[in-house]
Short mmCIF file of all heavy atoms in Angstrom, two decimals:
data_model
loop_
_atom_site.label_atom_id
_atom_site.label_comp_id
_atom_site.label_asym_id
_atom_site.label_seq_id
_atom_site.Cartn_x
_atom_site.Cartn_y
_atom_site.Cartn_z
N GLU A 128 -12.07 25.16 -18.03
CA GLU A 128 -11.15 26.29 -17.90
C GLU A 128 -10.47 26.62 -19.22
O GLU A 128 -10.09 27.76 -19.46
CB GLU A 128 -10.10 26.00 -16.82
CG GLU A 128 -10.71 26.02 -15.45
CD GLU A 128 -9.68 26.05 -14.34
OE1 GLU A 128 -8.50 26.32 -14.63
OE2 GLU A 128 -10.06 25.77 -13.19
N ALA A 129 -10.29 25.60 -20.07
CA ALA A 129 -9.65 25.84 -21.35
C ALA A 129 -10.51 26.74 -22.23
O ALA A 129 -10.00 27.51 -23.03
CB ALA A 129 -9.37 24.53 -22.06
N GLY A 130 -11.83 26.64 -22.04
CA GLY A 130 -12.75 27.53 -22.74
C GLY A 130 -12.64 27.45 -24.25
O GLY A 130 -12.24 26.42 -24.80
N GLU A 131 -12.95 28.56 -24.90
CA GLU A 131 -13.07 28.61 -26.35
C GLU A 131 -11.77 28.28 -27.08
O GLU A 131 -11.73 27.47 -27.99
CB GLU A 131 -13.53 30.01 -26.77
CG GLU A 131 -15.03 30.18 -26.74
CD GLU A 131 -15.71 29.47 -27.90
OE1 GLU A 131 -15.66 30.03 -29.00
OE2 GLU A 131 -16.25 28.37 -27.72
N ASP A 132 -10.68 28.94 -26.65
CA ASP A 132 -9.45 28.83 -27.45
C ASP A 132 -8.56 27.67 -26.99
O ASP A 132 -7.48 27.47 -27.55
CB ASP A 132 -8.69 30.15 -27.45
CG ASP A 132 -8.28 30.55 -26.04
OD1 ASP A 132 -8.77 29.91 -25.08
OD2 ASP A 132 -7.47 31.48 -25.90
N GLY A 133 -9.00 26.94 -25.99
CA GLY A 133 -8.24 25.76 -25.58
C GLY A 133 -6.95 26.07 -24.83
O GLY A 133 -6.11 25.20 -24.66
N GLN A 134 -6.78 27.30 -24.37
CA GLN A 134 -5.53 27.67 -23.69
C GLN A 134 -5.77 27.85 -22.19
O GLN A 134 -6.78 28.41 -21.79
CB GLN A 134 -4.98 28.98 -24.26
CG GLN A 134 -4.55 28.91 -25.70
CD GLN A 134 -3.39 27.95 -25.93
OE1 GLN A 134 -2.53 27.79 -25.06
NE2 GLN A 134 -3.36 27.30 -27.06
N ILE A 135 -4.80 27.37 -21.39
CA ILE A 135 -4.85 27.61 -19.95
C ILE A 135 -3.52 28.25 -19.56
O ILE A 135 -2.46 27.84 -20.07
CB ILE A 135 -5.04 26.30 -19.17
CG1 ILE A 135 -6.37 25.64 -19.56
CG2 ILE A 135 -5.00 26.54 -17.68
CD1 ILE A 135 -6.65 24.37 -18.80
N PHE A 136 -3.59 29.22 -18.66
CA PHE A 136 -2.39 29.89 -18.17
C PHE A 136 -1.42 28.82 -17.62
O PHE A 136 -1.84 27.94 -16.85
CB PHE A 136 -2.82 30.88 -17.09
CG PHE A 136 -1.73 31.73 -16.55
CD1 PHE A 136 -0.89 32.43 -17.41
CD2 PHE A 136 -1.54 31.84 -15.17
CE1 PHE A 136 0.12 33.22 -16.91
CE2 PHE A 136 -0.54 32.63 -14.67
CZ PHE A 136 0.30 33.32 -15.53
N LEU A 137 -0.16 28.89 -18.03
CA LEU A 137 0.79 27.79 -17.79
C LEU A 137 0.86 27.30 -16.33
O LEU A 137 0.71 26.10 -16.08
CB LEU A 137 2.17 28.16 -18.32
CG LEU A 137 3.22 27.05 -18.20
CD1 LEU A 137 2.79 25.80 -18.94
CD2 LEU A 137 4.56 27.53 -18.71
N PRO A 138 1.05 28.21 -15.33
CA PRO A 138 1.14 27.70 -13.96
C PRO A 138 -0.12 26.94 -13.54
O PRO A 138 -0.05 25.92 -12.86
CB PRO A 138 1.31 28.96 -13.11
CG PRO A 138 1.82 30.00 -14.05
CD PRO A 138 1.27 29.67 -15.39
N ARG A 139 -1.30 27.43 -13.97
CA ARG A 139 -2.54 26.76 -13.64
C ARG A 139 -2.60 25.39 -14.32
O ARG A 139 -3.04 24.39 -13.74
CB ARG A 139 -3.72 27.64 -14.10
CG ARG A 139 -5.09 27.02 -13.94
CD ARG A 139 -5.46 26.80 -12.49
NE ARG A 139 -6.79 26.22 -12.34
CZ ARG A 139 -7.15 25.47 -11.31
NH1 ARG A 139 -6.31 25.23 -10.33
NH2 ARG A 139 -8.37 24.99 -11.24
N LEU A 140 -2.12 25.33 -15.57
CA LEU A 140 -2.12 24.06 -16.30
C LEU A 140 -1.26 23.04 -15.56
O LEU A 140 -1.67 21.89 -15.34
CB LEU A 140 -1.58 24.26 -17.72
CG LEU A 140 -1.52 22.99 -18.55
CD1 LEU A 140 -2.89 22.60 -19.04
CD2 LEU A 140 -0.57 23.13 -19.72
N LEU A 141 -0.07 23.49 -15.14
CA LEU A 141 0.83 22.58 -14.43
C LEU A 141 0.19 22.12 -13.12
O LEU A 141 0.30 20.95 -12.75
CB LEU A 141 2.18 23.25 -14.18
CG LEU A 141 3.01 23.52 -15.44
CD1 LEU A 141 4.33 24.19 -15.09
CD2 LEU A 141 3.27 22.25 -16.24
N GLN A 142 -0.52 23.05 -12.46
CA GLN A 142 -1.19 22.70 -11.21
C GLN A 142 -2.25 21.62 -11.46
O GLN A 142 -2.32 20.62 -10.74
CB GLN A 142 -1.82 23.96 -10.62
CG GLN A 142 -2.33 23.75 -9.22
CD GLN A 142 -3.14 24.96 -8.75
OE1 GLN A 142 -3.53 25.81 -9.55
NE2 GLN A 142 -3.41 25.01 -7.46
N LEU A 143 -3.06 21.82 -12.51
CA LEU A 143 -4.11 20.85 -12.83
C LEU A 143 -3.50 19.49 -13.17
O LEU A 143 -3.98 18.45 -12.73
CB LEU A 143 -4.94 21.34 -14.02
CG LEU A 143 -5.96 22.43 -13.73
CD1 LEU A 143 -6.55 22.95 -15.03
CD2 LEU A 143 -7.07 21.90 -12.83
#
Side-chain angles (χ1 to χ4, degrees):
E128 289 193 15
E131 274 286 282
D132 60 350
Q134 295 296 327
I135 298 182
F136 185 51
L137 184 58
R139 175 66 180 153
L140 179 76
L141 292 180
Q142 190 189 13
L143 283 172

